Amino acid sequence: MLAERRHQLILRALRSEGHATVEALAERLGVSAATIRRDLLRLDEEGLLTRVHGGAVLEPGGDDPFAEVAQVRVADKDRIAERAAGMIEDGQTVLLDIGTTAFRLARQLHGRTLTVITSNLVVYEELADDTSIELVLLGGVVRRDYKSLVGFLTEDNLRQLHADWLFLGTSGVRPDGQVMDTTVVEVPVKRAMIAASERVVLLADAGKFPGTGMARVCGPKEIDVTVTNPSADKATCAALREAGVEVAQA
């Protein structure tokens, strides 16, 4: 295996788990511990991770919003991802939004016979080597800190596609069920994803209820299912149900 490919896999493992030991990485990549130590030294020199005794952790710098959010409420996101994955049937086409919960969902899809469409670069990295999945990466302008693709190219691509499911992320859900986002440039892409999809599933852990955001993505009438945690705000969940949204708890 080429060094560049090993480095990609090491960073993917750290992005998923937050930390890893030399022994675990050596076993996972099928190389010697000495090779992994050299790789970690190189990646540490490049500022992509931090070496610690016996392994490595993600570099804790504050300039990567995706990496910061990826470490928050991981167990809640994994339960949501598992519940969402159970909705999908083999042979279907799935559209995955940006964000960390969509990434956790992608990890649940390995080995499935599916078509996955995404503008989420971390989802792409997670599924790129899974030959059972037909993977469609949308075009667009790369937002490096958010690991996403945006812009008119992304929206044009979506107008030519149709998905059985959209799994949509959010910055927050307001008490009346309005789905919000704090990043304005992502909103047109999210709306184009909704228009391209048969059914829309909102992935929102309990920390998003009730939530805030400066830009409205959609109202509850445009959502079919919301998957959240049992501790999610009851009044907001009730508002979603009143609007006809199925609220599934995981």
Side-chain angles (χ1 to χ4, degrees), residues 38-152:
R38 287 194 295 272
D39 289 339
L40 296 182
L41 177 61
R42 176 66 179 274
L43 291 168
D44 182 81
E45 289 172 348
E46 293 176 356
L48 297 173
L49 54 76
T50 300
R51 293 172 67 213
V52 296
H53 180 70
V57 297
L58 283 177
E59 177 62 37
D63 60 348
D64 191 342
F66 188 99
E68 291 176 4
V69 177
Q71 305 306 314
V72 177
R73 297 186 293 274
V74 174
D76 287 347
K77 293 174 183 177
D78 278 339
R79 284 190 287 270
I80 289 169
E82 185 175 357
R83 180 68 181 270
M87 300 177 180
I88 304 166
E89 297 179 4
D90 283 354
Q92 291 187 320
T93 298
V94 177
L95 184 51
L96 295 184
D97 190 14
I98 69 158
T100 59
T101 310
F103 162 59
R104 307 306 293 190
L105 173 55
R107 298 185 70 203
Q108 299 280 338
L109 301 181
H110 282 292
R112 302 283 301 273
T113 306
L114 300 168
T115 298
V116 174
I117 306 168
T118 192
S119 61
N120 188 327
L121 294 174
V122 185
V123 167
Y124 167 77
E125 290 175 2
E126 178 68 27
L127 298 178
D129 294 332
D130 192 329
T131 57
S132 66
I133 292 176
E134 184 175 1
L135 188 56
V136 179
L137 182 64
L138 298 168
V141 178
V142 176
R143 300 189 73 224
R144 290 177 176 84
D145 288 350
Y146 289 87
K147 316 298 185 190
S148 65
L149 293 156
V150 298
F152 76 92

Side-chain angles (χ1 to χ4, degrees), residues 3-51:
E4 183 178 353
R5 181 58 178 156
R6 287 199 311 275
H7 294 172
Q8 291 174 353
L9 294 174
I10 288 168
L11 291 171
R12 181 184 299 176
L14 290 171
R15 195 177 292 122
S16 299
E17 309 298 335
H19 62 86
T21 65
V22 169
E23 291 75 14
L25 290 169
E27 182 177 355
R28 182 169 180 167
L29 274 62
V31 297
S32 69
T35 296
I36 293 296
R37 290 190 185 95
R38 287 194 295 272
D39 289 339
L40 296 182
L41 177 61
R42 176 66 179 274
L43 291 168
D44 182 81
E45 289 172 348
E46 293 176 356
L48 297 173
L49 54 76
T50 300
R51 293 172 67 213

Side-chain angles (χ1 to χ4, degrees), residues 167-193:
F167 292 92
L168 183 70
T170 179
S171 299
V173 183
R174 287 190 172 163
D176 61 356
Q178 299 294 314
V179 179
M180 309 301 293
D181 202 282
T182 56
T183 310
V184 174
V185 71
E186 300 283 359
V187 172
V189 176
K190 289 176 181 286
R191 290 176 178 169
M193 286 182 170

